[in-house]
Amino acid sequence: VVGFSAAAAAVDGDVESQLSAAHAEIERLRAVLDRVAAERDALKTLLAKQQLDGGGAAAHGGGKKKKVSGVREVEAWLDAMDMKQYLRPLRALGADSMPAILAVDELDLDDICMKRIHKRRFMDAVIRYKEQHSGLDGDGAAAGR
């Protein structure tokens, strides 16, 4: 009985040691995933800004002023759907103008923890916006004028 108890205690100690090592590895991997997610978000933001600016809006003149009016348009668009609470998270993604909003996909909406029903409304509104503005060029003017 004494030999069995010693063997059981050794096994328990080994199991606890393995569990502790596994928990430490899980925490290490969570930290890695957090860093990867932060880098992904930063790259998405950078890419969205580059796409919006066409390589740098400031170089083409207008830079900041155009961005402010874009944010106001997005804010009004979200407000009309009672979804203004998503303005800050969308801006963090780099979606601070309607062209950028039109590039947002469902994975982006998952990233900002948008509720499922709001995602449906958002994506439906994007489709409607595209349909309503399909005859317009990038500046909102009728194409060909």
Side-chain angles (χ1 to χ4, degrees), residues 75-88:
E75 184 176 10
W77 185 76
L78 289 169
D79 194 32
M81 296 185 291
D82 293 324
M83 294 173 55
K84 199 170 171 184
Q85 70 269 27
Y86 296 109
L87 179 63
R88 186 171 291 157

Side-chain angles (χ1 to χ4, degrees), residues 135-145:
L136 303 179
D137 64 16
D139 294 327
R145 283 198 224 175

Side-chain angles (χ1 to χ4, degrees), residues 15-72:
V15 168
E16 285 182 29
S17 173
Q18 289 176 354
L19 273 174
S20 178
H23 284 294
E25 182 66 7
I26 288 170
E27 289 306 313
R28 185 188 71 76
L29 291 173
R30 282 187 178 146
V32 169
L33 283 172
D34 289 344
R35 284 195 309 272
V36 168
E39 288 178 25
R40 182 203 61 215
D41 292 344
L43 288 172
K44 276 184 175 182
T45 300
L46 179 63
L47 180 60
K49 284 181 181 180
Q50 286 176 344
Q51 289 172 345
L52 288 176
D53 293 343
H60 302 294
K64 194 76 165 176
K65 195 172 203 177
K66 186 174 185 180
K67 191 172 190 176
V68 170
S69 66
V71 171
R72 287 189 182 138

